[in-house]
Structures are given as C-alpha cells and as structure tokens.
Amino acid sequence: MVDLVLRAANLTKVYRGRRGHAPVDALSDVSLDLERGTTFGIVGESGCGKSTLARLLVGLEAPTSGTIRIDDQPVVISERSASRELARKIQLVFQDPFSSLDPRMTVGKALKEVLTVHSLHTDMTSLRASELLSMVGLTRRFAERYPHELSGGQAQRVAIARALAVEPEILVLDEPTSALDVSVRAEIINLLVRIQDELKLSYLFISHDLSMVRHISDDIAVMYLGRVVEMGRYDQVFVTPLHPYTSALEDAIPVPNPEHERSRQAAGAVAVHVQVDKVTRGCPYAPRCALVEPRCRDTAPTLTEKANGHMVSCLVALDDAQ
Amino acid sequence: MTAALLDIRDVHIGIIRRHGSDEIVRGVSISVAPGEKLGIVGESGSGKTLTMLSVLRLLASPPLGVVKGEILLDGEDLARVDAKRLRAVRGGEIAMVYQDPMSSLNPLMHVGKQIEETLKAHGSSPLVASDRTREVLGQVGLADPERVRTSFPHQLSGGMIQRVMIAMALATSPRVLIADEPTTALDVTIQRQILELVTSLQAETGMAVLWVTHDLGVVASLVDNVVVMYAGRVVEKATTTQLFARPTHPYTKALLQSLPGTGSSHRSALHQIGGTPPDPTRLGPGCPFRVRCPYAEEKCAQAEPELIDRGEGSFAACWKDPSQW
Ligand SMILES: Nc1ncnc2c1ncn2[C@@H]1O[C@H](COP(=O)(O)OP(=O)(O)OP(=O)(O)O)[C@@H](O)[C@H]1O
Ligand code: SF4
Ligand SMILES: [Mg+2]
C-alpha cells in the first residue's frame, strides 16, 4: 500500500478577469498524489500555474473546484478554524527568503512568532530554537541576528527552520534556490535532502531549474497553461519524455557544457516560443507544437496513462508505438 | 588579438568617505574586442554590477565613486568626456540592460514611446524611430508587439518588461551591449530565443557583448570568453572551452562541481563550497578565497595573488598551479 500524505483531486482555479477582460483559468483539473517521504517536482514556465497550485495547497486561497486531502482528511479552506490543524501540516517556503522574514525581528523571535500564528501553545524554548537552527546547519548564535545580518543562503535556512517549527509533514518549496547564488544552491539542496530523510518529510518542489528538479524529485509533473501535460517518475519524464512540450523545455535549457551547446547549434535546434493567450478548442499546446496534426486543433487530449504510471496529455504521443 | 573596443583598465570603485575610501571593486581589468562575446560570472556581491555601471558613469554617487582606473571606448576615456558626449555614448554606442529593469523605465509613458524617444535622441527621424521600434519589439519574441508598444510598464509581466528592455538596448544598434542578468526572469524557451537573437545580431553587426550572469549554462551557450569575479577582483579569465574543460582557479572549479549534472546520481550530496564570501571592504592580507579554499597553503595567507598565466589562454589569481591540486 502506498502511503499518501497529500491528495489533490481535480483542482481548478479561475480568477475573475480584470475589468473588460475574460476570466483567467489559472489551473484546470490538476490532480496529484504525494507519497509520504517523497518529493514531487513541478516544472513549467512562468504563468503556467505552479505558484497558484502552491497557494491552493497551503490554503492561502480556495480552489474554484476540486478537493485537497491531507492524511486522508479533507482540507476545508473556507472554515479556517476547522482546518487549522491541517494547515499546520503543510508549510510554504518562498523563493525570496527575505520576503518571509520581518526585518525588525530577530531570527529567534521569528521562530517564536510562527508558533503564535498557528496558536500552538507550546513554548519556543531556547533549546528548541537552537535545535531548529542546528537542524538547518546554523549555530544558536544566529537566534540573535536580524535578517539584514544574514546572507541569502543563511536567510533561506532560517526560512526553512521557521517552516519546520510547527512540525509539518509537507513542505511546499516554491523556487527555493532560484534567488540564491549558484555556490549556495547546492548547500540548500543538500540540506533539504538531509532533513527530508531525518524527519520523513514530503516535498512539493516547484522550480524552473530542470537539473535541480531532476536531482531531487521522485515524481514529476510538467505543467503548461494551467494543466498537467506529463507526469511520471523522474526518470520516465526526463529520460523518456513523451510530451513535445517536455522535450522543448529540456532542449531550451542551456547546459553548462560548451561541447553540448556547440553540437546543439550545429544541429540548428531552435526553441520556438509563441505567446498564446487562450486556445478555445483542441490541444492548448497546438500553436507551439512541433508534432501538431490537424486533429489536434479539434480534439483536446486528456491526461492518460501510457505505461507504468507515465501519464501524458498528447494525442500523438498516446498513439505512437502503442 | 584584435584591439579592444571597450577597455576597462584597473578600475577601483569605493565608498567615498571624508577620509579616504573603502574599496569594493579592487582593480578590475576587462576588455572586449569588436564581435566578441564576453561572459562575466561571479559570487553575488563580487562587484559585477558596480563595474558595469561605472562604464557609463552610472554609479550611485555619493557614496560610490571610481577611485582609480580608466574606461576606454576605442581609446577615448569615458571618465573624462563631457556631459554631451556621455549622453551620446549612453544608449547609443554603448547600450545597457539593467539587472533591475522596472527602475529604468518611465512608469507614465507607453513603452513603445520610450524606445522611440531613445532612438530620436540618437538621431533617428520620428518615422524611422517608429518603424524600428515595431521591428525590435517583434525580434525579441513578443507575440503582440503592437499591444506591447502601447502599454504602460505596469501592464506588462516581468518577462515582457525584460524583453522590452532588451529591445530598447538593441534598437540603436550599439557597438557594445552590456547586459546584467538580462534573462534571469525569463522562461527558458524565451531565454533561448533571446540568446539566439543576440548571437545572430552580433554576427551581423559585429557588436561586442558583455553578459553578466549566474547561469553557467548561459555562459556555455552564448559567450566566447569568460571573466570570473570574486570579492571585487577578477580571479580567472579564460576561453569558454578552457573554463569548463580546465578551470584554473579553485573558486571556478568549485562552482562547476556544485552543479547537479549528468555525473551526480539522484539525490546524492552535491559538492558544496562551504563558508561565506568575505566582505570586500574588510579583507586582510592574502587571497580572499583562502578560508573556503581546499588548496590553501601558507603563502595564501600572506599575499594576494595577481593573475598568473596558466596557459591555453587561461589566467588565474591563485598561487597554486592547477597541476598541483
Ligand atoms: N550604493 C551602494 N552603497 C554601498 N555599497 C554598495 C552600493 N551598491 C552596492 N554596494 C556593495 O558593493 C558590492 C558589490 O555590489 P554589486 O552590485 O556590484 O555585486 P554583483 O556582483 O553585481 O552581485 P549580484 O550577483 O548579486 O548582482 C556589494 O557588497 C554591495 O553590497
Ligand atoms: S591562492 Fe591559495 S587560497 Fe587562494 S585560491 Fe589559490 S590556493 Fe586557494
Ligand atoms: Mg549584480
């Protein structure tokens, strides 16, 4: 039996359009299952709904429709008090660590405050505070520091310690390394892997850095315009991608290897980007797709299993070699 | 070697105080030839942005100022030219895309108009300016250039703004393009398109490019040569091929090792540099990288190394020969 810590089913989020504009479908029918102790990676371009998904999962916003269950309990967003206990179980870590830290509050105070926010009546003893700090690789002397006295990497460690203070089961990590120096990213990724093993945490790891996502994730969903277009184990998605969008993404990533880049240029690979606001019929990826066929413009594909849990939403990929 | 088009010579930038100054950029020399694409990478806070800003005399002064050094554009010292000449160079011969794009656009003017104004300021007729504006907005991959042209900055997404800035910089066909992290906020497919656009324009016009980035993938795909900065200094200079194949400074080597790559297995520990970069205004004697360096020896604490020729076009500010690592 797989032990699912989080189940999101058919999540949809429609934002009312600004004056005179049509409503925006930020998220359409997204379902995912997070197995306890594992990492689910979400990739896709900006505006594809990654952060909307994160906000729904941690209860910052209510979905237009769909359900979220944590530990098999439904999360009810509208009745905040009822879901407090569940809200504690899932914590969000932001891209910019400084944005989540109050500049006038010491690190120690910030750790204390989070308990009050969740009305947990346990005390943040200095022992607990130093335990949390040491978990993220900082000495207890950091409790007295203010955010401006921290480097980017240290601030991200504090943000993670703060999320851990309420003993969550799930961390939603929204681009946790993008704002950091290259030399610091490895530290944070190593830290996340270590505390995941120690605390048996489950992660939702959102990033546009495919190499990091591949490194840390067990399962991966690729999103395009608010939908999941491909989903599977990390090696399925990266080694044998099925959706043409996944291939285009991988192809566009600059690889830190000049040889590779030269052969890429020699092969004349071009990543075509066409800005598409809304497709009303057929496959939403059709206007950009390299494999597009006439039927794609009429029939919208649905996310369907192709093999061993490897799901794809593409008419052509589903037909191929079946 | 072709003669340098832009030659930054031994530039020192400091926080000017009543008695003396605290140096942040401590003697940086960078030069680009016509048609050369040069990448500038380095630790955050190492002085990349300040060095680039100093080229067009855009440092926030006070308190910042160039304490020493020359900036030569085709032999003409930009530190000494008058205001009129400087205006002609800015956005004309040298165009710059800033790290923080929002701050360099006027919030109350349509973005298309802002590009046209730049063009007119550099001698285009209104008709030519308006045609050229449409053209460059199309080139940077904006789907609906017409709508973007008549939008205010706040009506555009971060990625669109970034492309508008790149369009504005390219509009005047500059001889030198300085771009500070220009594609960090962009999606990978758009980023790829921008890199290809710059490469093809550059091949056509012979423009020189200085590209500041944290992304070693961008370095590998775009530039010919690389400068690595650390603690206010250039610590390595190399061709792109050599930098990846045979880094000659321990910091560069550590940076390359920290990337998750095809070599690292799933969820295995990535190489960490450890420690934090020093405050460039509080450096003691010796190599500024020594506390984080696995190869540090006694000499490293005593004197700061200058760039040493390590062959194959590589130079590193490190006492230790890479063959002894
Ligand atoms: N106006 C200022 N006054 C005082 N110090 C400054 C000012 N602007 C920058 N600095 C300092 O100068 C140093 C170099 O800054 P710079 O912005 O050039 O770094 P960078 O290499 O561009 O970093 P990043 O990769 O983060 O963009 C930093 O330590 C920074 O804090
Ligand atoms: S000079 Fe010494 S401390 Fe500095 S990088 Fe070289 S070996 Fe390391
Ligand atoms: Mg900078």
Side-chain angles (χ1 to χ4, degrees), chain B residues 92 116-126 128-129 172:
Chain B
E116 284 172 29
E117 291 303 317
T118 309
L119 282 160
K120 284 192 264 177
H122 291 283
S124 297
S125 70
V128 170
T172 56

Side-chain angles (χ1 to χ4, degrees), chain A residues 45-46 181 190 196 216-217, chain B residues 44 187 189 266-267 270 272:
Chain A
E45 291 170 306
S46 77
D181 235 355
N190 290 347
Q196 175 165 47
I216 196 172
S217 308
Chain B
S44 178
D187 290 325
T189 52
H266 194 229
R267 295 174 66 82
L270 299 170
Q272 293 181 199

